[in-house]
Amino acid sequence: MLSSVTARRCKLLLAGAAAAVMAAGAVVSAGPANAAPLQEVMLVGNNWEGTADVIKSRGDFAKIGRINLIPDKDDRLREIYLNPIRLAFFLGIRETVGEGHDQFVDDMYSTPDGSAIVVSRPSFADVASIDTATGRLKWRFPVSGYRSDHMAVSPDGSRVAVSASTGNTVHVLNIQTGQQVGSFKTGDKPHENVFTRDGKIWNMSIGEVNNDFDAPWQDFLKGDRKITVVNAATFQQVKVIDMRQRLDAFGRKDFSDAVRPVAFTPDESKLYFQVSFFNGFFEYDVATDKITREKVLPKNTGTSDDRTTFVNDSRHHGMSMNPQGTKLCIAGTMDDYATVVDRSTLREGPLVRASKPYWATISGDGRACVISESGADQVTAIDFATGQKITSIPVGDHPQRVRVAQLPAGWTGPGG
């Protein structure tokens, strides 16, 4: 049995070791005693390239490694070119939403044990699991329709929800096996998904974004756009929220009701959301089912107000909230900036110059907002406290989604 002095020394040594680990940005596995240690990282999905860059999740955000998320590309292309209907959609994605490029990586998450990265691949209309040790395909799930889109992971990390954007369906899969555990129908073109702590899944459908019927009076031609809320265990519909009615009641009848990226407050009592064509966002009170505030953000004088020039109808696309719920980070996609907004006053901070920022997330320690600059092939970290830029890290071709993930400690790439 240890003496009290020895026990205190052991505790001090362990505390010092833990502090050193956290200072280095590493995360010790919280799994079984025999589980391999993990490191916390950020995955940056390079949409047009089909890769993910792996960077540190905090500190200097230095690059750690890279993984190819389309190792089966030749097999997928062979299947597509032998199927005229699939080929038509494949080429259609390239020329419309892909801006002349194939869309190989939309969204991605790691499995809880860090053994795989699960990725939605729009042009291949699937979700795939890529082994982080070997870089090989572990499993593949073809979605309904002809394009996969945004994903979300359940709070326990065991399930992944993916939008099948032309199938008007959300599939929920076992993240380890790829087996479907449930699905539910949505509005037209399901987009963002969010698991909430109260056991629900929220899906935002954005309607048709590839036509030029963009004038306010043509809004009815954009399809059936709504928020579908389902029970995350049974996948039964709990509620449907039509933001058209809420926007009209708020006095914004001329605004699109296509809800884009969203951010919940930590207590999930309020939802902040962006809509197509708008340089700003709205605040929605969940309990009263009403829009309560609006924030209009500055326009870039160099950005045309011609809605048909906005990429996929997005003037602003990307938002996140710091863990305290006091600050919002907004990606002003077509206006070429990002900014941190005080949630209490809705006053924006400095406009940080960025080239077509397409997503915003939070760093592993919650101190920074990290945006993907799809026009500059880099990610940029912005300090939540000051609103100032911290650093930029070069990545691959057309970065979009950025996610905090867990990979094996010491990982630098497949076979590394």
Side-chain angles (χ1 to χ4, degrees):
M1 190 172 187
L2 293 176
S3 69
S4 60
V5 173
T6 303
R8 283 197 299 272
R9 287 175 177 171
C10 288
K11 287 180 180 180
L12 288 171
L13 287 170
L14 287 171
V21 168
M22 293 306 294
V27 174
V28 179
S29 170
N34 61 350
L38 300 174
Q39 61 177 328
E40 183 188 78
V41 300
M42 277 189 144
L43 304 177
V44 182
N46 302 311
N47 190 10
W48 295 349
E49 188 175 282
T51 63
D53 281 301
V54 180
I55 63 175
K56 291 182 179 179
S57 65
R58 60 186 75 188
D60 62 3
F61 300 93
K63 191 175 293 187
I64 295 171
R66 172 176 284 194
I67 186 168
N68 176 18
L69 298 180
I70 49 171
D72 55 333
K73 178 180 179 180
D74 291 344
D75 292 336
R76 302 287 77 81
L77 291 178
R78 189 178 303 111
E79 292 171 355
I80 289 168
Y81 276 87
L82 290 174
N83 185 321
I85 297 177
R86 286 194 63 192
L87 178 59
F89 276 92
F90 177 80
L91 297 176
I93 291 169
R94 177 186 294 172
E95 297 307 319
T96 54
V97 66
E99 304 173 68
H101 302 265
D102 297 323
Q103 290 197 310
F104 292 131
V105 176
D106 189 274
D107 213 343
M108 76 253 111
Y109 290 91
S110 63
T111 54
D113 62 2
S115 65
I117 294 172
V118 176
V119 54
S120 59
R121 307 186 299 183
S123 288
F124 291 162
D126 67 8
V127 181
S129 176
I130 310 301
D131 191 296
T132 56
T134 66
R136 295 175 181 171
L137 182 72
K138 294 185 73 172
W139 57 256
R140 174 176 175 264
F141 179 89
V143 302
S144 61
Y146 299 95
R147 187 178 181 275
S148 54
D149 201 47
H150 287 231
M151 300 199 300
V153 164
S154 59
D156 66 358
S158 67
R159 294 173 296 156
V160 60
V162 58
S163 289
S165 58
T166 67
N168 294 350
T169 299
V170 170
H171 302 280
V172 183
L173 313 177
N174 180 304
I175 201 169
Q176 296 286 5
T177 68
Q179 295 296 309
Q180 178 169 281
V181 297
S183 67
F184 60 93
K185 287 296 183 181
T186 66
D188 291 335
K189 298 292 179 68
H191 192 56
E192 180 81 328
N193 293 293
V194 179
F195 280 88
T196 52
R197 292 194 311 276
D198 62 353
K200 297 182 180 66
I201 304 173
W202 289 52
N203 174 266
M204 280 52 75
S205 60
I206 59 172
E208 183 54 63
V209 299
N210 297 320
N211 64 37
D212 286 337
F213 301 125
D214 295 340
W217 69 269
Q218 297 173 315
D219 188 66
F220 70 97
L221 297 172
K222 290 292 188 177
D224 180 21
R225 293 150 296 175
K226 58 191 177 187
I227 297 176
T228 303
V229 185
V230 303
N231 183 300
T234 66
F235 311 108
Q236 295 300 305
Q237 191 177 100
V238 174
K239 187 175 184 179
V240 172
I241 303 169
D242 182 353
M243 280 299 177
R244 173 77 282 134
Q245 300 167 3
R246 281 75 177 170
L247 285 164
D248 290 353
F250 190 72
R252 285 302 196 177
K253 294 184 178 182
D254 57 334
F255 272 44
S256 170
D257 60 346
V259 176
R260 312 303 292 256
V262 303
F264 277 98
T265 53
D267 64 1
E268 298 178 349
S269 66
K270 286 183 170 55
L271 177 75
Y272 294 83
F273 66 94
Q274 296 167 313
V275 298
S276 292
F277 310 117
F278 180 40
N279 51 298
F281 58 88
F282 292 95
E283 176 188 81
Y284 169 80
D285 186 85
V286 176
T288 62
D289 192 21
K290 292 180 180 179
I291 294 173
T292 47
R293 290 194 294 174
E294 169 193 7
K295 173 61 179 178
V296 180
L297 284 163
K299 291 183 178 181
N300 183 335
T301 56
T303 298
S304 171
D305 282 329
D306 180 358
R307 291 182 171 203
T308 64
T309 65
F310 297 172
V311 176
N312 302 319
D313 294 353
S314 305
R315 180 142 199 168
H316 287 186
H317 187 283
M319 66 191 311
S320 63
M321 186 180 296
N322 67 342
Q324 296 78 22
T326 58
K327 301 287 183 68
L328 284 157
C329 180
I330 306 297
T333 309
M334 299 306 300
D335 289 306
D336 287 335
Y337 69 76
T339 189
V340 173
V341 177
D342 182 273
R343 193 172 74 83
S344 175
T345 64
L346 294 189
R347 184 178 298 116
E348 72 269 16
L351 303 185
V352 178
R353 185 176 179 180
S355 180
K356 205 171 80 170
Y358 223 91
W359 194 248
T361 191
I362 60 173
S363 61
D365 58 11
R367 296 180 180 178
C369 166
V370 180
I371 61 169
S372 59
E373 293 193 53
S374 61
D377 294 342
Q378 64 183 17
V379 293
T380 292
I382 300 169
D383 190 294
F384 267 118
T386 66
Q388 299 288 346
K389 175 179 173 177
I390 299 171
T391 189
S392 293
I393 305 298
V395 292
D397 195 5
H398 205 265
Q400 285 191 206
R401 226 66 63 227
V402 183
R403 302 290 190 187
V404 173
Q406 304 283 339
L407 290 183
W411 186 96
T412 56

